[in-house]
Amino acid sequence: MDDNKMQMTIPLKSGDLVLKNPVLTASGTFGYGVEFSRYGDLTGLGGIVTKGLSLKPMKGNPQPRIVETAAGMLNAIGLQNWGVEGFLENYLPKLPLEQLPVIVNIYAHSPEDFSSLAARLSNVPGIAALEVNISCPNVACGGLLFGQDPKMAFEVTRAVKQASGNLPVMVKLSPNVTSITEIALACEEGGADMLSCINTLTGMAVDLKGRRPALANVVGGLSGPAIKPVALRCVWQVANAVKIPVIGIGGVYCADDILEFLLVGAYAVQVGTANFHRPNKAFELPAELEARMKKLKIENLQSFRGTLQIPDIKSWDEM
Ligand SMILES: Cc1cc2nc3c(=O)[nH]c(=O)nc-3n(C[C@H](O)[C@H](O)[C@H](O)COP(=O)(O)O)c2cc1C
């Protein structure tokens, strides 16, 4: 195996984004990164994605807002966060920015507010990229609506792109749509440099004895191993539809999950719900991946990526 076997070079319009390995952490599941530094060395990760930031701090939804489900969890946090200034003042300076790509996830109620957020962050040194959340199912205003309408997805992407200067822009897609490729193409047309998919699937859990919803918000976003097949399908479809790089998210728990996302075309993955089960899980994954590559005789990830073979129907019968 070569020295850079785990490295992923993500081609962008203005220069490449180089990750030492394809293990990123997913927004909302890893705080602002700083909180997890007690569980492992942040610089061993391919990168982190921060909790979604809005212009002003948000309190989020009332409790209860997390519930465990079969093979996953439902959340309706409602984008509680310290706001962009709180993050810039209290968290960003504590991150090892020179050795760790930090992707800042943003959320707003309007294209104008998205634009203001992007403009504010474009002047901040050390940020690797923005991730634009147009796919949150847990907020009343905006959120998922932007990600379900190709025109709105285009508009938000264009607004962020125009305001973000040289910062690469990744748009995060929702699986809660009829055609994810239609939205992906709209974002690409709006100027997105990368796409990430997927955000959570809208779901619901009930408390049978109490005869009421398990979440105060009634509905929430399903995540974890339960959604991995949906996520793989989405990544595969999107990667085949657009020319820009795609990052896979949804139920990544082990090295094989990472390899599966890369096989269907992703350049990297984000680890989300697994961090709730084991806060050191993401830190362990690069070594697990290396061991698994050796076992499967995968020389390097860059050439492995996107090599899924779909046999024709005749050869399926012979298998
Ligand atoms: C508790 C929780 C909070 C989340 N908050 C955000 C967020 O602020 N912004 C965002 O884009 N996605 C958010 N997500 C979605 C995740 O980043 C990820 O897309 C999703 O959980 C699927 O990945 P997983 O199955 O590995 O968890 C959140 C997910 C969870 C479980």
Side-chain angles (χ1 to χ4, degrees), residues 24-174:
L24 305 167
T25 54
S27 179
T29 68
F30 206 70
Y32 299 98
V34 179
E35 303 89 327
F36 277 71
S37 55
R38 79 179 95 148
Y39 299 111
D41 177 8
L42 290 172
T43 66
L45 297 169
I48 63 165
V49 183
T50 68
K51 171 69 187 165
L53 293 172
S54 45
L55 275 175
K56 297 271 175 267
M58 284 171 69
K59 276 190 179 159
N61 291 327
Q63 304 274 5
R65 50 192 195 176
I66 281 190
V67 59
E68 193 169 347
T69 60
M73 66 189 267
L74 272 172
N75 91 83
I77 304 295
L79 285 161
Q80 178 185 3
N81 76 95
W82 291 111
V84 66
E85 297 305 331
F87 167 71
L88 292 177
E89 201 175 316
N90 301 316
Y91 292 95
L92 192 71
K94 294 183 186 147
L95 289 168
L97 296 174
E98 288 190 358
Q99 299 118 288
L100 176 74
V102 173
I103 298 174
V104 176
N105 182 291
I106 57 172
Y107 167 77
H109 298 298
S110 66
E112 294 72 31
D113 282 0
F114 266 117
S115 175
S116 305
L117 267 168
R120 175 69 183 98
L121 291 162
S122 69
N123 298 320
V124 179
I127 297 175
L130 298 180
E131 181 177 59
V132 187
N133 181 3
I134 58 164
S135 47
C136 182
N138 300 324
V139 278
C141 185
L144 187 50
L145 286 179
F146 294 137
Q148 286 179 326
D149 175 354
K151 283 199 193 91
M152 287 307 295
F154 170 84
E155 212 174 297
V156 170
T157 307
R158 194 176 53 176
V160 173
K161 213 30 215 170
Q162 282 173 352
S164 60
N166 291 328
L167 262 188
V169 172
M170 169 156 81
V171 184
K172 184 163 177 179
L173 304 181
S174 171

